Amino acid sequence: MKLPALKKWAAKSFARFGDMSRIGKRPVKITQGVKVNYKAPVLEVSGKLGTLKRTIPERLNVEIAADEIRLTPKDEESGNLHGLYRTLIKNMVHGVSEGFSRHLELQGVGYRATTKGDSINLQVGFSHPVDFPLPAGVKAKVEASTQISITGADKELLGELAANLRKIRPPEPYKGKGIRYKGEHITLKQGKAAAGKA
């Protein structure tokens, strides 16, 4: 590679690195009532809704001031990690102070849900009800028997739980019966009779 081309490639590479770490350069504000403790490589964030822990890669430096957390990469190749972990830490701070929620809805004749202790009881067309256990720190609320809300401090855990709930009875493609995310659009297929008439 000739020198002018090498300089051009290097300039593009550094610009790309700057874009990836742009989010990472922003400090994470520590909201009132949240405590942060870092003992390499584990970052612990505590608040009124619980405590979350995360292992931070060795390629990132963590600096904790009075009201903010700053991440800095140790090398140029850590740009991707820089932005990713800044976002994950921000979610931890928000989660233990404000919490996150996921919403699902049941569609189908006779489909309904109830809360039963630390689990959600589902009647979704099977010959038997299904009990869906909830992990510690996650709460569920059912409205009108068909609207399910799950709340907690861990955003990733809530996303996984919502996906597993949906898997119990995914929306079928002809009438849309099943468990879906609130507001989710299901593209329905034509039945054989309707397709034959067409």
Side-chain angles (χ1 to χ4, degrees), residues 115 119-120 134 138-142 148-151:
T115 54
S119 66
I120 302 172
L134 297 172
V138 176
K139 296 181 180 179
K141 183 180 179 182
V142 176
I148 302 173
S149 298
I150 53 175
T151 59

Side-chain angles (χ1 to χ4, degrees), residues 18-35:
D19 291 338
M20 290 186 293
S21 62
R22 188 179 302 162
I23 294 175
K25 290 178 180 177
R26 301 173 188 168
V28 177
K29 295 295 181 182
I30 302 174
T31 54
Q32 188 174 3
V34 174
K35 295 181 179 179

